[in-house]
Amino acid sequence: MNQIRDILDTMEYGPAPEDDKDVRAWLTSHKTGFGHFIGGEFTKPGGKTFEVHNPANTEKLADVAIADAGDVDTAVAAANRAQKKWQALSGNQRARHLYALARHVQKHARFLAVLETLDNGKTIRETRDIDIPLVARHFYHHAGWAELCDTAFPGYEAAGVCGQIIPWNFPLLMLSWKVAPALAAGCTVVLKSAEHTPLSAIAFAEICAEAGLPAGVFNLVNGAGETGAALAGHEGIAKLAFTGSTEVGRLLRRQTAGSGKKLSLELGGKSPFIVFDNADIDAAVEGVVDAIWFNQGEVCCAGSRAIVQEGIADRFHDKLRARMEKLRVGDPLDKSMDMGAVVAPVQIREITAKVEAGLAEGATMWQPSWARTVSNADGCFFPPTLFTHVAPSSTLAQEEVFGPVLASMTFRTPGEAVQLANNSRYGLAASIWSQNLDEAFDAARTLKSGIVWINSTNLFDASAGFGGYKESGFGREGGREGMLEYLVPSWQKKAKSLPASDPLPAPTPAPGGSGAGLDRTVKMYVGGKQARPDSGYSYPVSGKNGQHLAEVGLGNRKDIRNAVDAAHKASGWSGMTGHARAQVLYFLAENLELRAAEFAARLTETGTSSSAAKREVEASVARIMHYAAWADKYDGAVRAPDKRMLTLALNEPWDVMGISCPDEAPLLGFVSLVMPAIAMGNRVVVTPSPRQPLSACDFYQVLDTSDVPGGVVNIITGDRDTLADTMAKHDDIAALWYFGSREGTELVERESAGNLKPVWANNGKARDWFDATQGQGEEFLFRAVRIKTIWTPFGV
């Protein structure tokens, strides 16, 4: 037994074990195994099962049934039966159910914390003080959204049955992030737990029954990749939400392409941890502990890339090594441990392989003096590890390790720091440490990350949206933006399918020309100038009686490439104030109105009646004015998750977008898509109606006379799907809007999987472009921005 005198001499912690007898008793009561939770009841365990082990000592905890396609069918059917009744409840009634779930989570908080630690290997301090309180917070927060949903989101309704697939690093917290907003919106859920860590989801299912949640509203199936694939591909699912690896995210994007399912993906990360030379170094060192050694580094937004200013790098690394020496790794049920166990042996092998790759590439590794003791211990333990002299292109700097491994590099200027930080295919999170808030916020605005923490790291709250840029996925969880992921405009569920489009006329000579006038081939518009197609080919456009009107350039991938280059050069448009952009758009509306008769005549040539043509031009002018009005008003939000913390939800442009326009209402459809995009600061590469492109091509003459900078709007004519395919694959197009056929939707969603750009598509459904609900509004503005959440402390 420790003597007080000895403790004062060594200042070592004594053992502080958490009691696990209640969880052990629960596991013993289910020694025959766990089934699935479907329609408000647990299925009997049987058939194929998998074993669940405690990663801290490899002890077997339970057997869990593996769901096959039949089990998934049954769960989806139960969710569908419950969905209409659940959606029909008043907001107050759904709020009461979510409130009850929050209360019951709190009542069982200690049990859930211990269970999560046994199942996952994370320390009891983290599950008790971070994970479980945040689980309750999410259900409380979304109980409020359930109450307010009808008034806060007028014209929207629940997406339907949601398939949700969660990871093993935060099993119960990720469940709450997905289940709470889905239930608040009026959706029902079929959730697949992670194969390494299914136990807390099973316990949550018991809580749902205990709290009186209606049968079928929450359903749970267990299993591995095959179960997830069966759920993702099920026709009864209207929305799929996934958190996990980027590789699996790509598979799900391809699998769901053309299905009409809403999809949100929260994927991998390689988050930078930037330390400027004026930072509080001691605070930054503690920030590193929370950034990369929290949860053993098994965090998608872990600050795994330290980017340190040269002048303080040696001092920073010395302090960091001294702090690492004091970290405690061991039994995660011991309340004095800093780090617990990695989730499974397979993860240890993957971390080890990345570490060996780093050594082979010449980086310098440092581990605490006691590291070998941890590595040789029973269970899945890996010591905290620091790499210095890391090249920006190395494996450690570019690939997600998903373990307690920090790669450090240096920079000289703030601009270089941002370049290093953005030199990644990921864009989930970033952390900035500086006592100069001007410097910190300037960096925060230029980082390509969905989350930025200033002088802090790994902070989360239900009110603050969470999600990434680039290959870290799309969609948001938390806040108002997270609710919109589970809602759809009510009119869309009744939308009719568009008829199939005929192929474009072949670019071959056609008889019947008069030769009386000068022949004109309509040019494309790239970088503010008319441009001939790279191919040299054109195709004919016909009028209402089949008469030949003009030849239009047949665009190809090189034309798209040139347009994307021009759009990137027009970056000054994104840096303009909303007010300045509004003035340009008002000028654009003014000039279109001056030429209204000319544009109406063009529409009449293509088969529109004179009255309908006049109406379309007038609607186009009004639509430009509508988005001119929004240009300086569609702002973000300030939230206060803590008394000394603000989060700023900033609406940022995608920068360069691709837009494929519909055939119907060729002028109004074009204007309705281009205007909200550029009003929000984007530059666009747009393909107009392939059948009737002339009014959109005439429109570039209005752009030329309205102070729209060259490169902001680039118009490429040709086959919609051929050009959309190229835009979907293009790495320098950040987002794509597609309004065409169902087959085209499937094409662009599938081909966008390579770079995981978000796609907004109509799935072959008709939209009334004249209607103020369907043709304009917040839906367009929301799709025209990506939301960056900046966390900043104050008064500390």
Side-chain angles (χ1 to χ4, degrees):
M1 183 174 181
N2 290 330
Q3 300 295 320
I4 292 177
R5 183 169 52 202
D6 295 335
I7 294 173
L8 291 174
D9 286 339
T10 63
M11 296 301 289
E12 288 185 359
Y13 290 97
E18 178 65 50
D19 189 353
D20 63 355
K21 67 177 185 298
D22 291 338
V23 172
R24 295 287 179 184
W26 180 73
L27 291 170
T28 301
S29 70
H30 293 86
K31 61 184 178 182
T32 58
F34 292 96
H36 315 294
F37 186 70
I38 299 174
E41 297 179 349
F42 279 96
T43 64
K44 293 182 179 180
K48 294 182 178 180
T49 62
F50 62 95
E51 295 182 352
V52 179
H53 294 267
N54 180 347
N57 56 20
T58 71
E59 168 198 12
K60 178 182 173 181
L61 298 175
D63 291 300
V64 177
I66 298 174
D68 58 20
D71 296 317
V72 173
D73 282 341
T74 304
V76 173
N80 269 297
R81 286 194 300 272
Q83 202 274 319
K84 289 184 179 179
K85 290 182 179 179
W86 177 251
Q87 183 177 349
L89 293 178
S90 69
N92 177 264
Q93 290 171 312
R94 287 199 303 274
R96 288 173 179 270
H97 282 294
L98 269 79
Y99 182 82
L101 290 174
R103 293 287 294 133
H104 281 264
V105 166
Q106 287 182 316
K107 289 176 183 178
H108 298 294
R110 187 55 59 93
F111 173 88
L112 292 170
V114 174
L115 178 61
E116 197 83 315
T117 291
L118 285 175
D119 198 16
N120 171 273
K122 63 174 66 185
T123 65
I124 187 67
R125 289 193 304 131
E126 291 175 5
T127 59
R128 180 196 64 198
D129 299 340
I130 299 174
D131 289 20
I132 306 307
L134 275 174
V135 171
R137 162 68 175 147
H138 272 77
F139 282 103
Y140 278 129
H141 179 80
H142 287 92
W145 277 124
E147 182 86 32
L148 302 173
C149 193
D150 289 343
T151 54
F153 303 98
Y156 283 78
E157 63 181 73
V161 175
C162 298
Q164 301 180 330
I165 302 173
I166 58 173
W168 45 258
N169 57 336
F170 291 91
L172 195 57
L173 183 56
M174 292 297 99
L175 177 151
S176 71
W177 280 24
K178 288 176 170 50
V179 172
L183 300 191
C187 301
T188 54
V189 167
V190 179
L191 181 129
K192 190 200 83 70
S193 62
E195 59 268 33
H196 291 309
T197 56
L199 298 182
S200 57
I202 292 170
F204 177 79
E206 290 188 349
I207 287 174
C208 288
E210 177 185 73
L213 191 70
V217 172
F218 173 79
N219 304 273
L220 173 68
V221 292
N222 304 297
E226 290 184 0
T227 304
L231 179 59
H234 202 287
E235 293 183 355
I237 296 295
K239 153 79 181 179
L240 180 66
F242 171 77
T243 296
S245 71
T246 297
E247 291 71 23
V248 175
R250 286 196 180 93
L251 293 175
L252 293 176
R253 173 70 285 180
R254 293 187 180 103
Q255 184 182 9
T256 58
S259 65
K261 294 183 178 74
K262 289 196 74 173
L263 178 66
S264 56
L265 300 173
E266 196 267 280
L267 307 175
K270 194 67 186 174
S271 301
F273 187 98
I274 304 172
V275 185
F276 287 98
D277 58 9
N278 61 14
D280 181 333
I281 296 180
D282 292 320
V285 167
E286 285 305 308
V288 171
V289 174
D290 290 336
I292 186 60
W293 296 309
F294 166 63
N295 203 46
Q296 299 72 248
E298 297 170 316
V299 184
C300 54
C301 55
S304 56
R305 284 190 297 152
I307 302 174
V308 187
Q309 199 150 15
E310 276 188 1
I312 61 164
D314 290 343
R315 189 153 53 105
F316 177 82
H317 290 140
D318 287 344
K319 285 178 174 286
L320 187 57
R321 293 185 189 99
R323 183 67 178 90
M324 291 169 67
E325 192 69 34
K326 298 296 184 182
L327 291 175
R328 306 186 81 236
V329 181
D331 179 8
L333 280 176
D334 187 332
K335 292 188 281 287
S336 65
M337 290 298 164
D338 297 302
M339 289 172 53
V342 172
V343 73
V346 64
Q347 193 63 18
I348 289 286
R349 292 192 291 272
E350 291 185 7
I351 295 169
T352 301
K354 296 285 177 59
V355 165
E356 290 174 350
L359 288 170
E361 292 172 349
T364 302
M365 184 180 79
W366 190 91
Q367 292 177 331
S369 60
W370 44 262
R372 189 175 297 276
T373 303
V374 169
S375 299
N376 294 334
D378 293 334
C380 302
F381 294 98
F382 199 95
T385 301
L386 168 66
F387 275 93
T388 53
H389 306 106
V390 176
S393 61
S394 68
T395 298
L396 289 173
Q398 294 296 324
E399 299 299 323
E400 187 175 36
V401 177
F402 222 67
V405 179
L406 177 67
S408 185
M409 58 195 82
T410 61
F411 71 92
R412 292 181 179 178
T413 66
E416 184 185 1
V418 171
Q419 283 184 321
L420 287 169
N422 288 338
N423 179 35
S424 174
R425 59 193 177 99
Y426 298 111
L428 184 53
S431 188
I432 300 170
W433 294 78
S434 173
Q435 295 294 87
N436 183 335
L437 287 184
D438 286 342
E439 182 176 62
F441 274 102
D442 184 60
R445 290 304 304 269
T446 52
L447 289 172
K448 300 300 182 185
S449 298
I451 312 294
V452 180
W453 293 291
I454 294 177
N455 294 325
S456 54
T457 193
N458 274 340
L459 299 176
F460 313 99
D461 188 73
S463 68
F466 185 91
Y469 287 13
K470 299 188 286 189
E471 291 186 29
S472 289
F474 47 80
R476 293 293 182 266
E477 295 181 301
R480 189 177 190 276
E481 51 270 40
M483 280 293 293
L484 281 167
E485 298 293 337
Y486 292 93
L487 297 165
V488 295
S490 299
W491 67 266
Q492 284 188 6
K493 292 193 174 182
K494 301 175 183 178
K496 296 180 180 179
S497 296
L498 291 166
S501 298
D502 295 329
L504 289 181
T508 56
S514 68
L518 291 174
D519 184 64
R520 179 192 175 209
T521 299
V522 177
K523 305 298 189 296
M524 299 177 185
Y525 188 67
V526 177
K529 299 177 181 179
Q530 298 184 42
R532 293 180 175 84
D534 172 81
S535 67
Y537 288 106
S538 60
Y539 69 95
V541 175
S542 301
K544 58 184 176 181
N545 297 318
Q547 78 273 26
H548 180 78
L549 294 179
E551 295 286 327
V552 176
L554 189 64
N556 63 18
R557 63 181 181 84
K558 289 187 177 179
D559 295 308
I560 294 293
R561 179 200 63 189
N562 295 338
V564 172
D565 287 346
H568 276 282
K569 291 175 182 176
S571 58
W573 179 255
S574 299
M576 290 171 61
T577 66
H579 170 73
R581 291 196 298 269
Q583 302 315 299
V584 174
L585 265 63
Y586 279 123
F587 193 20
L588 192 63
E590 177 185 334
N591 285 330
L592 178 60
E593 189 168 68
L594 285 172
R595 300 176 62 176
E598 176 187 339
F599 276 84
R602 174 65 85 183
L603 291 170
T604 303
E605 276 186 336
T606 60
T608 305
S609 69
S610 57
S611 59
K614 181 180 178 183
R615 178 183 175 227
E616 184 170 345
V617 176
E618 290 174 349
S620 298
V621 172
R623 193 127 308 158
I624 299 171
M625 294 182 66
H626 178 83
Y627 289 113
W630 271 116
D632 60 351
K633 298 175 184 66
Y634 193 65
D635 299 320
V638 178
R639 293 152 185 164
D642 186 83
K643 65 179 180 180
R644 295 194 180 277
M645 181 68 68
L646 292 178
T647 66
L648 312 177
L650 298 178
N651 293 332
E652 292 194 335
W654 294 100
D655 293 336
V656 176
M657 295 175 57
I659 299 177
S660 300
C661 293
D663 284 316
E664 60 272 26
L667 176 62
L668 181 59
F670 173 90
V671 166
S672 297
L673 293 171
V674 170
M675 291 304 121
I678 66 172
M680 293 297 100
N682 297 288
R683 295 92 70 194
V684 299
V685 177
V686 56
T687 64
S689 162
R691 307 294 303 181
Q692 300 295 346
L694 299 183
S695 57
C697 293
D698 291 344
F699 194 82
Y700 62 60
Q701 299 172 19
V702 183
L703 295 171
D704 279 340
T705 58
S706 302
D707 293 340
V708 178
V712 172
V713 179
N714 303 276
I715 303 172
I716 305 296
T717 52
D719 181 73
R720 176 172 45 230
D721 290 357
T722 299
L723 298 173
D725 176 56
T726 299
M727 290 195 291
K729 295 173 181 174
H730 204 297
D731 287 341
D732 285 334
I733 293 178
L736 178 62
W737 292 358
Y738 175 89
F739 288 81
S741 66
R742 185 182 182 280
E743 293 75 19
T745 296
E746 181 178 357
L747 169 73
V748 297
E749 289 183 341
R750 183 180 66 248
E751 296 305 324
S752 70
N755 46 43
L756 286 168
K757 66 167 57 72
V759 173
W760 181 33
N762 66 332
N763 203 39
K765 298 293 185 179
R767 182 182 290 253
D768 183 355
W769 294 99
F770 290 90
D771 183 79
T773 299
Q774 299 183 28
Q776 69 178 28
E778 186 181 358
E779 181 185 15
F780 292 81
L781 296 166
F782 180 72
R783 298 285 188 171
V785 298
R786 47 185 170 185
I787 298 172
K788 174 184 286 182
T789 302
I790 300 177
W791 291 69
T792 180
F794 61 93
V796 293

